[in-house]
Amino acid sequence: MSELIFTPVIGIEIHIRLKTDTKIFCSCSTNTDVEPNTHVCPVCMGLPGSLPRLNHQVVEKGMLAGLALNCTVQPKSLFFRKSYFYPDLPKGHQISQCDLPIVAQGFIEVHDANGNLKKIRVNHLHLEEDVGSLHHSASDGRLEGAAISFVDYNRSGMPLAEIVSEPDVSSAKEAVEYVTTLRRRVIYSGASDVELEKGMMRFDANVSMKCSDGRWGRKVEVKNMNSFHALERAIEYEIKRQKKIMLSGGEILQETRHWNDAKGVTTASRVKEFYRKFIVEPDLPPLIIDQAWIDRVTSMMPEMPDVRAKRYVQDYKLPQEVADFLTDVKDLSDYFEACVKAGANPVRAAHWVRTEVLRVMNEKQIRKVADFGISPETLTNLIAKIDGGKLSTTQAKEVFDYMSANNCGIDEAVKACGISEGGVAGNMLEEIIKSVIAANPDVLDEIKSGRDTKGKKLKFLQGLVMKEVKGQAKPQEVSQTLEKILNA
């Protein structure tokens, strides 16, 4: 009998908090850096008699996110009440979209196991309100082992976009590439900052197994994954668990399972509910979006990262891996673009941004390029001094470090570093080389006798000269002048 082959069939549901000033149905601030239960009102607390009012900014951010995923904006969408009872949902129902979402039918491209591009279809993106957050008294913050739980309703009513894929994902690695690509495109669109550490992106995975003998396992929903690493581990575990059950002839229960990141396992949470929990929201009219509004939001869409990376390769002649690196973070890519626009050589600018700019940002723990301190125009001028022969690369790095440390311009940094623009050259360089040679007669003798067949002694002298001039001479000019003096 041939060996059974199991193929994972995976769909991903992603919740992303949209970047707005106020909540989706009220005027409470979306700022989370406040005391618990201070950014609340009768609407987001679900008090009797309060009425929701749809935030115009939320609608536009949802449209932007959908367009970033190659989706189509729907001219008409509806809100529903999703009823369930849990302490983080004060009014006993969540306002969400269901049958008629704001955008539908898009896709994200990922690489399959063979490295080929593969489309993961996006079924739809819909808008909804977030629920409150639970805080547990256990030392590790988990529900398990907690004696008391507290509810903070500051998060209640935060605007969310839920993005639902078709079951086109076939592995944990594909799932991770799908969510990372999706996150990057949403950030580029301006719909959300999608900061994982602030809980602005949460994933659920629907996992089932298809067997080569024709059997299908039931779908299992895995929850509580809040990082890419957790998503990958949870899916890999669930694939192995379901495969093991099916190999032994068992049945997969259609249930919701909880990912325990500390133990690296999924545990049963509840059996899936099959009754319909939605009714049309009576307090909100249908959302009507005309073509003029769609056109205006579409005109706000920036160039997407994959398109930008392709342009870098074609127009700037950057290697693909460099283009991918630069476009991974939008503000870093924008900084590079500004350097090129200011007149910097793209290849040299890409090198400086990847190495020196990021090095200083990491050393100073600067998270945003906007807070870096050296403008793209200033970096461009520094690069121009290298290209013009006024500064060596070593000198330029010294000047760059001084500018970043002291928040000053190039001229001040050059003066403070004791650098003479143009460096050491001509007769001065010749005199320094002669003094270095005179101080190392044994090295000169070895070079003159022909014993320095590999040129190590010559390079040694070059190094001594560069040290003497403190990097203020072009290596090529040092090499040429040294050889001229030795051959005289």
Side-chain angles (χ1 to χ4, degrees):
M1 189 175 77
S2 61
E3 182 181 357
L4 294 175
I5 299 174
F6 291 87
T7 304
V9 180
I10 305 165
I12 308 292
E13 297 176 8
I14 301 173
H15 287 88
I16 290 177
R17 185 186 302 168
L18 298 173
K19 184 168 65 176
T20 61
D21 298 323
T22 55
K23 295 182 180 182
I24 185 169
F25 298 122
C26 67
S27 59
C28 289
S29 171
T30 52
N31 179 21
T32 56
D33 298 326
V34 293
E35 290 296 314
N37 296 308
T38 54
H39 281 183
V40 294
C41 73
V43 175
C44 54
M45 287 293 290
L47 298 184
S50 61
L51 294 174
R53 182 178 181 182
L54 182 58
N55 184 338
H56 179 276
Q57 191 181 25
V58 172
V59 176
E60 291 203 341
K61 296 294 185 179
M63 292 165 67
L64 284 169
L67 291 171
L69 309 180
N70 302 297
C71 290
T72 301
V73 177
Q74 306 281 72
K76 178 181 178 180
S77 58
L78 288 175
F79 285 92
F80 293 75
R81 288 184 178 183
K82 180 181 179 182
S83 299
Y84 65 93
F85 297 96
Y86 206 63
D88 60 8
L89 193 64
K91 56 181 176 281
H93 67 264
Q94 178 189 28
I95 301 178
S96 177
Q97 293 186 312
C98 178
D99 294 337
L100 290 174
I102 186 172
V103 296
Q105 304 304 315
F107 66 89
I108 291 290
E109 288 187 324
V110 302
H111 293 87
D112 62 18
N114 298 317
N116 300 315
L117 280 177
K118 168 185 176 180
K119 285 186 178 180
I120 306 298
R121 292 170 297 161
V122 174
N123 181 281
H124 72 272
L125 174 153
H126 68 257
L127 302 175
E128 65 182 20
E129 61 180 340
D130 206 348
V131 297
S133 53
L134 297 176
H135 300 268
H136 310 293
S137 64
S139 58
D140 59 359
R142 297 178 183 275
L143 173 61
E144 186 177 349
I148 305 172
S149 292
F150 304 91
V151 188
D152 177 10
Y153 290 110
N154 282 341
R155 197 176 74 180
S156 179
M158 289 285 193
L160 295 180
E162 181 172 350
I163 303 163
V164 181
S165 83
E166 297 287 1
D168 295 340
V169 178
S170 302
S171 69
K173 290 190 179 299
E174 279 186 17
V176 171
E177 185 177 352
Y178 169 76
V179 297
T180 53
T181 302
L182 184 148
R183 174 178 182 266
R184 185 164 56 246
R185 292 180 73 91
V186 170
I187 291 173
Y188 263 73
S189 75
S192 173
D193 292 330
V194 201
E195 295 178 286
L196 292 170
E197 64 275 13
K198 292 185 177 180
M200 296 179 72
M201 186 179 196
R202 307 193 294 270
F203 334 103
D204 299 333
N206 294 302
V207 183
S208 59
M209 298 294 287
K210 178 183 178 182
C211 185
S212 56
D213 63 4
R215 287 184 296 156
W216 276 83
R218 294 189 181 92
K219 179 177 68 177
V220 173
E221 184 179 27
V222 183
K223 288 183 173 289
N224 192 45
M225 299 166 291
N226 54 12
S227 72
F228 301 141
H229 185 55
L231 176 68
E232 184 172 17
R233 291 178 66 213
I235 290 176
E236 286 178 344
Y237 174 86
E238 191 59 25
I239 288 172
K240 291 177 182 177
R241 186 188 73 86
Q242 293 186 27
K243 181 179 178 180
K244 184 178 180 180
I245 292 173
M246 293 179 72
L247 280 172
S248 65
E251 291 288 331
I252 307 294
L253 291 177
Q254 185 161 348
E255 60 184 352
T256 298
R257 296 182 69 85
H258 180 93
W259 170 246
N260 187 318
D261 200 50
K263 296 180 179 179
V265 299
T266 63
T267 55
S269 177
R270 62 179 183 269
V271 176
K272 290 295 291 184
E273 300 150 337
F274 295 98
Y275 64 89
R276 184 174 177 84
K277 301 182 292 183
F278 293 90
I279 63 168
V280 175
E281 171 57 62
D283 294 330
L284 288 170
L287 173 58
I288 306 299
I289 302 175
D290 62 20
Q291 190 59 47
W293 194 1
I294 295 173
D295 291 342
R296 185 169 63 81
V297 173
T298 301
S299 70
M300 296 162 55
M301 285 292 294
E303 186 179 38
M304 287 290 102
D306 50 338
V307 178
R308 181 176 275 193
K310 186 176 181 179
R311 178 167 59 83
Y312 286 2
V313 173
Q314 293 177 345
D315 296 351
Y316 301 154
K317 310 306 177 187
L318 297 183
Q320 185 66 56
E321 62 272 17
V322 175
D324 290 341
F325 181 91
L326 288 173
T327 55
D328 186 54
V329 178
K330 186 176 185 298
D331 61 349
L332 188 70
S333 183
D334 289 343
Y335 186 92
F336 165 75
E337 288 268 0
C339 289
V340 176
K341 186 177 181 180
N345 176 285
V347 175
R348 196 183 288 274
H351 173 75
W352 274 80
V353 171
R354 290 180 70 205
T355 56
E356 302 309 311
V357 172
L358 284 183
R359 174 180 61 80
V360 172
M361 288 182 65
N362 289 333
E363 288 173 356
K364 294 186 174 183
Q365 296 183 330
I366 299 171
R367 296 187 59 191
K368 295 183 177 180
V369 182
D371 301 328
F372 171 53
I374 297 178
S375 70
E377 292 75 20
T378 301
L379 180 58
T380 298
N381 291 335
L382 184 64
I383 293 172
K385 289 185 179 294
I386 302 172
D387 293 338
K390 294 183 177 181
L391 293 175
S392 68
T393 301
T394 302
Q395 291 172 323
K397 289 181 179 179
E398 187 179 352
V399 170
F400 180 84
D401 285 343
Y402 189 91
M403 286 194 297
S404 65
N406 296 279
N407 193 28
C408 66
I410 294 177
D411 293 339
E412 182 181 339
V414 168
K415 185 177 180 181
C417 293
I419 295 172
S420 174
E421 287 195 32
V424 178
N427 293 334
M428 185 183 295
L429 179 59
E430 288 188 8
E431 291 301 318
I432 292 173
I433 290 175
K434 288 177 180 178
S435 67
V436 168
I437 291 174
N440 295 274
D442 53 331
V443 177
L444 176 64
D445 180 62
E446 193 159 350
I447 293 173
K448 289 285 189 179
S449 67
R451 295 195 300 273
D452 186 30
T453 56
K454 295 184 178 180
K456 290 183 178 180
K457 297 299 181 181
L458 184 62
K459 290 180 180 178
F460 173 72
L461 286 180
Q462 291 174 357
L464 291 178
V465 173
M466 292 301 294
K467 183 178 180 180
E468 191 69 23
V469 300
K470 298 180 179 179
Q472 297 188 48
K474 294 180 180 179
Q476 185 178 2
E477 189 172 356
V478 169
S479 176
Q480 291 173 350
T481 307
L482 178 60
E483 289 187 15
K484 184 181 76 171
I485 292 173
L486 291 173
N487 294 329

